[in-house]
Amino acid sequence: MKRWWQRRTLRFRLALWYGLGGTMLMAGFCSAIYLFVARRMARPLDHALRRDLSEIEAHLSVAPNQSLLWDGSPIRYDQRWRHPWVEIWDSHEHLVARLWPLEDSQLDSLPFAPPPGRDNLSIFNVTSNLRLRALSVPMTVPGAPPGWTMRVLRVHQRLDDPLGTLLLIMVIALPVVVSLLVVGGYAITRRWLSPLDEMVHDAEEITAKDLSQRLSVENPNDELGRLATVFNRTLGRLEDSFTALDRFVADAAHELRTPLTTLRSVGEVGLRSSRSAQDYREIIGSMLEEAQRLQFLVERLLKLATAEGGHQPVRREPVRIDQLVATCISELAILAETKNQHLFIDAIECVAQTDPVLFRQALQNIVDNAIKYTPEGGEIRVAVHVGEGMLDVSVTDSGPGIPVEHREKVTERFFRSGDARSRRRGGFGLGLAITHAYMQVLGGDLHYEAANPKGSRFTLTLPTT
């Protein structure tokens, strides 16, 4: 049964649940209407029974010999009874008297004994077309044990009365209404779920070769519209990822092709004719230089893939950031001296819970970039600022800076801005991407802003705990 249910469509299941729920509601509603109408129709009769009871209690009494008296006179059973119908039952549930104008022999059945000791309303079918409504109440008989009961009777209704007609209408109308509910529910769910069919059709058209298509959104405010919107955003992120991956592969292939082509060209030139030992040494030196460049590129790509893939091991420990900055600057100072650049440090004593190796590598990348793009005789300033739960290490150079339209791409792989950051500088455009990935692993971030009056300022933001 469960497997059969799971194979049904969503609109079928919704329509079926709609029909079942409607059936239960309609059945409950019809039952409530029937009981309400029955009670309303019986209310005047119940009042009449109470009036008959008052009349009987005023005129009927039981003699010491348990004979019945009406206004003090013995009741004559040979005459037609013209007063309210009544039965008297003793404490042993034996009928003492039944006073009514009906002939017992002409009835299909007679009322059975009422439950003693409490008021009770009941209905009896004495013939196929005659129904009686009875009110039973306890009565006290002098000299007799308790448990006697008086029951007053009246004609209740005939079987072809309006209540029976109402029941017949409900029995006929209920299947019709349920059928309409099921058909209407199926039509409504089909209409409501039609955007889902369109989404399925649109999704089937989307392939890895063309992620530019999107799901149609009729109403972005309902549940299906919000689902389509979220799916479209996911498709957008996938498209951006595939685009970045394609660009990364193309850029990596281009960067790898250059040293490989150089190696092949140099080797082919060296083999064209006999040369001196000095010439061969120069050729081999050029080939080793390109091989070293190729090895460096591959190592940078591996570092970037490890950091972005979440596989970079992190060993956090208390680190004196001011001391780490000073050590890193002293190691790179020799590079700045070759270009007559001036390094300045503004750092206060501060401690952060971080991985010293990763943070130091990130800082070295930023300082190395600053030295690389700052002209000879320029200045590079490194400052450490401590805030509430965070600290910033900023590196400001006096180089050409980055154009406004390129600033959002500084952390992308193989990105180089114009001539200022060309291959002639010796880079691959991976340093900032690796630095950004390292900072993400450490729970921090990398920010860029233009320096005043010119240059660039890169800031490493790091949590202190």
Side-chain angles (χ1 to χ4, degrees):
M1 182 64 181
K2 183 177 180 180
R3 296 182 60 183
W4 177 88
W5 179 256
Q6 291 176 345
R7 288 196 298 266
R8 303 304 88 166
T9 62
L10 182 60
R11 63 171 56 91
F12 175 83
R13 285 184 279 177
L14 288 176
L16 188 58
W17 278 116
Y18 186 75
L20 291 175
T23 301
M24 296 177 64
L25 289 176
M26 286 298 300
F29 176 75
C30 290
S31 300
I33 290 295
Y34 183 84
L35 294 176
F36 175 77
V37 173
R39 287 182 178 273
R40 293 290 294 182
M41 292 180 65
R43 185 175 296 176
L45 184 58
D46 292 340
H47 291 322
L49 287 173
R50 292 291 179 181
R51 289 194 301 269
D52 292 347
L53 177 62
S54 299
E55 181 181 351
I56 292 173
E57 288 178 341
H59 297 280
L60 183 66
S61 59
V62 180
N65 60 356
Q66 296 186 356
S67 62
L68 301 182
L69 304 175
W70 188 267
D71 290 335
S73 302
I75 295 177
R76 298 183 60 179
Y77 294 95
D78 58 344
Q79 295 182 355
R80 184 178 180 83
W81 184 254
R82 300 182 183 279
H83 303 290
W85 302 0
V86 62
E87 292 178 340
I88 305 297
W89 296 79
D90 63 13
S91 58
H92 301 290
E93 299 184 3
H94 294 153
L95 180 65
V96 177
R98 179 178 289 124
L99 304 176
W100 60 5
L102 303 177
E103 295 292 338
D104 293 355
S105 60
Q106 297 178 355
L107 302 179
D108 297 335
S109 61
L110 294 175
F112 50 82
R118 60 187 177 89
D119 293 0
N120 180 57
L121 282 170
S122 55
I123 298 174
F124 302 97
N125 291 324
V126 293
T127 66
S128 59
N129 61 354
L130 180 60
R131 178 180 294 179
L132 301 179
R133 189 172 182 85
L135 171 63
S136 303
V137 296
M139 67 177 297
T140 302
V141 177
W148 283 55
T149 303
M150 177 189 299
R151 179 157 62 188
V152 186
L153 304 99
R154 269 183 175 264
V155 175
H156 179 61
Q157 61 181 8
R158 298 194 179 274
L159 295 180
D160 57 352
D161 63 2
L163 193 60
T165 304
L166 176 62
L167 180 60
L168 180 63
I169 293 174
M170 290 180 175
V171 171
I172 296 175
L174 184 60
V176 177
V177 173
V178 170
S179 300
L180 293 176
L181 285 174
V182 173
V183 174
Y186 185 84
I188 291 174
T189 53
R190 183 182 181 87
R191 174 66 184 88
W192 284 348
L193 296 178
S194 59
L196 192 58
D197 292 333
E198 297 179 6
M199 291 169 58
V200 172
H201 179 268
D202 294 341
E204 291 176 346
E205 299 295 326
I206 299 174
T207 61
K209 296 181 179 179
D210 184 14
L211 292 175
S212 60
Q213 299 188 36
R214 295 293 182 268
L215 302 183
S216 57
V217 182
E218 292 187 0
N219 182 8
N221 298 318
D222 61 12
E223 288 78 1
L224 293 179
R226 291 199 297 270
L227 176 62
T229 301
V230 172
F231 195 82
N232 286 338
R233 291 174 183 170
T234 303
L235 284 176
R237 290 192 292 269
L238 284 175
E239 183 180 14
D240 294 341
S241 298
F242 273 90
T243 301
L245 179 61
D246 292 340
R247 186 171 62 250
F248 171 75
V249 172
D251 291 343
H254 176 76
E255 296 293 341
L256 290 170
R257 184 171 60 248
T258 300
L260 289 175
T261 302
T262 303
L263 280 172
R264 180 176 178 178
S265 300
V266 172
E268 290 177 350
V269 170
L271 293 175
R272 285 177 184 175
S273 60
S274 298
R275 300 176 182 274
S276 64
Q278 181 63 29
D279 292 338
Y280 280 122
R281 279 196 294 269
E282 291 180 0
I283 292 173
I284 294 174
S286 298
M287 295 178 68
L288 289 177
E289 182 179 347
E290 291 302 324
Q292 185 178 7
R293 172 182 170 84
L294 183 62
Q295 180 183 3
F296 180 70
L297 174 59
V298 173
E299 290 176 353
R300 301 283 276 184
L301 289 174
L302 289 176
K303 288 181 180 179
L304 180 59
T306 302
E308 290 187 343
H311 304 298
Q312 182 69 45
V314 179
R315 298 178 178 84
R316 301 182 184 275
E317 60 184 65
V319 179
R320 283 280 301 272
I321 299 299
D322 55 315
Q323 293 180 355
L324 188 146
V325 170
T327 302
C328 181
I329 295 302
S330 65
E331 292 176 353
L332 296 175
I334 189 172
L335 298 178
E337 290 177 0
T338 59
K339 300 177 65 175
N340 295 321
Q341 296 170 345
H342 303 284
L343 291 172
F344 299 94
I345 302 177
D346 180 14
I348 60 174
E349 181 178 338
C350 56
V351 178
Q353 191 78 15
T354 187
D355 188 316
V357 176
L358 293 182
F359 185 73
R360 181 172 179 174
Q361 183 63 50
L363 181 60
Q364 283 180 343
N365 289 341
I366 298 300
V367 177
D368 182 67
N369 266 5
I371 296 174
K372 187 182 301 181
Y373 298 114
T374 298
E376 292 191 11
E379 295 182 353
I380 300 173
R381 297 184 178 273
V382 181
V384 179
H385 302 281
V386 180
E388 184 176 352
M390 302 291 291
L391 63 83
D392 297 333
V393 179
S394 61
V395 179
T396 307
D397 61 49
S398 53
I402 299 177
V404 176
E405 64 272 15
H406 293 161
R407 291 175 183 174
E408 294 183 355
K409 303 178 181 180
V410 292
T411 59
E412 294 183 3
R413 306 181 185 99
F414 298 109
F415 175 75
R416 286 182 289 259
S417 175
D419 295 335
R421 294 175 179 267
S422 65
R423 192 175 292 106
R424 295 193 302 268
R425 301 281 183 174
F428 297 100
L430 294 174
L432 293 179
I434 295 175
T435 300
H436 182 260
Y438 282 169
M439 295 308 297
Q440 293 290 319
V441 170
L442 295 176
D445 206 351
L446 171 65
H447 303 282
Y448 169 83
E449 60 180 324
N452 189 19
K454 67 174 183 176
S456 301
R457 178 179 295 113
F458 288 92
T459 303
L460 303 177
T461 302
L462 191 69
T464 57
T465 57

